[in-house]
């Protein structure tokens, strides 16, 4: 059975209403750290119109590269 490189596997769970996380060494084929179980921090979209305050200045100072347009 093939194995991947050593990395961490975190398992989230709720115990008595409290979020807990246990980390175990893992050699699965994912090959990088991963989290399983309850999602404590669901992805929240940033409200429209809000962005990083310095994004325009960074883009202008970086040669206006379209790959790095964070505005």
């Amino acid at each position: 059975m093939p194995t991947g490189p050593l990395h961490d596997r975190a398992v989230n769970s709720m115990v008595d209403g409290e979020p807990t996380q246990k980390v175990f060494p893992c050699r699965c084929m994912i090959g990088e750290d991963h989290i399983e179980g309850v999602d404590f921090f669901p992805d929240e979209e940033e409200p429209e119109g809000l962005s990083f305050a310095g994004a325009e200045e960074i883009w202008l100072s970086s040669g206006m590269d379209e790959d790095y347009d964070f505005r």
Side-chain angles (χ1 to χ4, degrees):
M1 178 194 233
T3 61
L6 182 62
H7 58 276
D8 289 328
R9 172 181 157 244
V11 179
N12 292 340
S13 61
M14 296 295 280
V15 176
D16 296 327
E18 294 291 322
T20 62
Q21 184 178 69
K22 292 185 180 181
V23 180
F24 305 94
C26 184
R27 285 196 176 269
C28 73
M29 294 305 293
I30 293 175
E32 57 187 40
D33 296 347
H34 53 96
I35 300 174
E36 299 174 4
V38 180
D39 187 4
F40 298 136
F41 307 103
D43 296 335
E44 295 180 14
E45 292 186 27
E46 190 172 284
E48 193 64 36
L50 296 179
S51 65
F52 175 69
E56 182 80 16
E57 291 81 11
I58 292 171
W59 185 67
L60 290 170
S61 69
S62 300
M64 295 182 271
D65 187 343
E66 291 187 18
D67 291 334
Y68 296 97
D69 188 356
F70 302 111
R71 299 178 290 155

